[in-house]
Amino acid sequence: MADPVTTTGRAQAPDVPSRARFLPFEMSEVWVRFLMAIVGLVLAFGAALFSTVARQAGSLWGTLVFSSVALGLAAIVGLTTVPYLARRVAGERVRDAFNYDVTRVGIIYVLTTLLIGIAALNTGNNLLYVIVAAMLAAILVSGLASAVVLRRLTLVVRLPEQVFAGRPAPAKILVRNARRWLASFSISAVPLRTSKISGRWRWEATTFGFPPGRPRARQWVTMRDLRLRRLADGRDDAAARRDIFSEPAYFPFIPAGAELAAEMEICFPRRGRYRQDSFGLATRFPFAFLTKTRRVRLSREILVYPAVEPTDEFFEVLPLITGEFEIFARGRGDDLYRIREYVPEDSARHVDWKATAKSGSLKVREFSREDERKVRLIFDNPGPGMVSEPAYENAVTLAASLSWHFTEANTEVCFVAQGHPTGGNIREFLAYLATVSPQALPSLLPNLEISEDYNIILTSQPRGTIPPELWACSYFIFIGSFH
């Protein structure tokens, strides 16, 4: 057989980003913002100089344009870079205590203040200076008032003990105001996202090609180039999908010394472990210019069990399981229950020959069960790549539904799985199913001990590898192909 590389012609060169190592220069976000602030201030200073020159030359429009550009650049640097750098250089306690976000109302208010400031500079009207000062003072008052409102507030989050995927569950968020005299206004308990892309900037080598959009072999000009790309710090979008809360709880008024609670309904689309690492108390009081958030060091975790609601597969296999289980359990005791007509599924050892001789037709004896109904549910976890992800999730859901159904029916159930201690605790088995994933472990079936229990086995093993003694006392559900 020919080498697959040589038969297809000349081997393609690897992609440029995979060998982009000639400039392993990383630039942190702090330095990027600092350099951007320097460039913005330099441009603002240049625009201010040109504004002065235009004013001395008597050009009204030139003065207006350059002064507007200078004030706009200074405002952009002040709103985007200065607060970030201030939080970076401040102490850890102060940095983690408050976050600032400018609202849409605040942006409009700041732009209005800048326009009035430009008019005051161009006209020299003292009344406009007074108005600008009052508007700037309102921003300062807003920041101080919101900081006072958020002081001495504590947050308590209470989660339900048992949560199933796809089923709404109640949760409670409590906010306590520990102050004696001062109330709090417009408080929101918000979940803080941890999935924002943040980290470092890296210069990477790439290839500039012309015309753009064409394959590299069909481009007229190709040359080495550089690009600045922002790298994530290891936290991806999956973290956002694993948050417990997605909506805030709003408290319009919290009296002094009071505790208010908000009932919330949480619902998780998939099984698994969900975690909320940080919460926050936010307010826009009093003027909604800024949204000030105080971080609360509070971590909550919840385990979401698989859905136990009946599915199509559940309704397909349950009548078959129930029928075979009744046939298996029938006649295992010593006390006579009844004498009935013979059916082909009956064993010959249960034929009552005296009743048969009297009636002229075969009669069999049924015996009452000596013990309760016993079922052993076996989840034979397949290895990676043996079944598709949808088929695997359907199997986990079916195992959870069957275990829940037989437990609710007062059946004595025993659970067996790789990595799970054998026993009849339904909550432990559901917790196992909540986090289980395909693993390269040996199958349970070759070494499975035969017991008096009826086996319900979910497996992906081929039929030919199943021990023959299991067929008589088991119902098999093959993962990926339910029968």
Side-chain angles (χ1 to χ4, degrees), residues 48-219:
L49 292 179
F50 280 107
S51 173
T52 304
V53 173
R55 183 178 180 181
Q56 293 178 353
S59 176
L60 178 61
W61 286 106
T63 303
L64 180 62
V65 170
F66 284 115
S67 60
S68 302
V69 171
L71 289 175
L73 290 174
I76 293 174
V77 172
L79 293 176
T80 60
T81 307
V82 173
Y84 175 81
L85 296 178
R87 288 196 298 267
R88 296 286 301 187
V89 300
E92 181 180 359
R93 183 176 179 182
V94 177
R95 184 173 65 247
D96 294 338
F98 293 99
N99 285 333
Y100 303 91
D101 292 319
V102 182
T103 63
R104 185 175 301 176
V105 176
I107 293 176
I108 297 175
Y109 186 84
V110 170
L111 293 178
T112 304
T113 306
L114 290 177
L115 292 177
I116 298 176
I118 294 172
L121 291 176
N122 290 331
T123 62
N125 192 327
N126 292 331
L127 180 58
L128 294 180
Y129 283 112
V130 173
I131 294 175
V132 171
M135 297 179 71
L136 294 177
I139 298 177
L140 180 61
V141 170
S142 176
L144 294 177
S146 59
V148 172
V149 164
L150 291 176
R151 288 185 66 250
R152 301 191 65 184
L153 294 180
T154 58
L155 181 67
V156 178
V157 178
R158 295 176 181 174
L159 300 175
E161 296 182 358
Q162 186 171 276
V163 181
F164 295 93
R167 180 183 295 182
K172 183 179 292 187
I173 294 181
L174 299 94
V175 177
R176 298 170 181 170
N177 186 358
R179 292 182 297 239
R180 293 184 178 181
W181 309 106
L182 189 61
S184 295
F185 303 90
S186 186
I187 303 297
S188 297
V190 296
L192 298 182
R193 300 285 184 180
T194 58
S195 59
K196 295 174 65 176
I197 297 178
S198 61
R200 295 179 174 272
W201 295 80
R202 179 192 290 272
W203 286 102
E204 289 187 348
T206 184
T207 299
F208 171 78
F210 184 83
R214 288 189 178 183
R216 189 180 307 173
R218 298 181 56 188
Q219 289 179 334

Side-chain angles (χ1 to χ4, degrees), residues 347-425:
S347 175
R349 63 188 180 91
H350 294 151
V351 175
D352 190 325
W353 298 108
K354 291 183 179 181
T356 299
K358 291 180 179 180
S359 62
S361 61
L362 283 176
K363 299 290 185 177
V364 295
R365 291 171 291 178
E366 277 191 3
F367 298 93
S368 60
R369 292 189 298 267
E370 294 179 346
D371 51 4
E372 297 179 353
R373 307 168 64 186
K374 292 184 178 180
V375 172
R376 184 167 58 169
L377 183 61
I378 302 167
F379 184 79
D380 190 23
N381 194 16
M386 296 186 63
V387 296
S388 63
E389 183 178 356
Y392 186 83
E393 292 297 326
N394 288 337
V396 172
T397 302
L398 182 59
S401 302
L402 291 173
S403 63
W404 188 263
H405 169 77
F406 283 105
T407 302
E408 291 291 313
N410 295 324
T411 304
E412 186 176 342
V413 187
C414 179
F415 306 104
V416 181
Q418 293 100 326
H420 174 71
T422 302
N425 193 317

Side-chain angles (χ1 to χ4, degrees), residues 324-481:
E324 292 195 9
F325 176 52
E326 293 294 339
I327 294 174
F328 171 79
R330 192 170 51 200
R332 293 172 57 197
D334 295 329
D335 297 332
L336 182 63
Y337 177 64
R338 66 171 178 170
I339 297 177
R340 58 169 178 81
E341 295 290 337
Y342 173 83
V343 293
E345 291 83 4
D346 293 329
S347 175
R349 63 188 180 91
H350 294 151
V351 175
D352 190 325
W353 298 108
K354 291 183 179 181
T356 299
K358 291 180 179 180
S359 62
S361 61
L362 283 176
K363 299 290 185 177
V364 295
R365 291 171 291 178
E366 277 191 3
F367 298 93
S368 60
R369 292 189 298 267
E370 294 179 346
D371 51 4
E372 297 179 353
R373 307 168 64 186
K374 292 184 178 180
V375 172
R376 184 167 58 169
L377 183 61
I378 302 167
F379 184 79
D380 190 23
N381 194 16
M386 296 186 63
V387 296
S388 63
E389 183 178 356
Y392 186 83
E393 292 297 326
N394 288 337
V396 172
T397 302
L398 182 59
S401 302
L402 291 173
S403 63
W404 188 263
H405 169 77
F406 283 105
T407 302
E408 291 291 313
N410 295 324
T411 304
E412 186 176 342
V413 187
C414 179
F415 306 104
V416 181
Q418 293 100 326
H420 174 71
T422 302
N425 193 317
I426 179 65
R427 296 191 63 176
E428 292 182 358
F429 185 65
L430 290 177
Y432 166 79
L433 293 178
T435 57
V436 70
S437 60
Q439 297 179 356
L441 298 174
S443 174
L444 294 171
L445 303 187
N447 300 322
L448 188 65
E449 297 181 358
I450 303 300
S451 66
E452 295 294 327
D453 302 341
Y454 183 71
N455 301 313
I456 302 175
I457 303 176
L458 290 91
T459 183
S460 61
Q461 299 297 319
R463 297 173 180 267
T465 61
I466 298 175
E469 58 271 15
L470 287 179
W471 288 100
C473 58
S474 306
Y475 182 86
F476 286 88
I477 301 174
F478 293 94
I479 299 176
S481 177

Side-chain angles (χ1 to χ4, degrees), residues 227-244:
R227 66 175 178 179
L228 185 63
R229 189 168 69 91
R230 192 176 190 179
L231 303 178
D233 60 355
R235 298 174 296 188
D236 54 9
D237 293 336
R241 294 194 299 269
R242 291 295 177 178
D243 286 343
I244 298 176

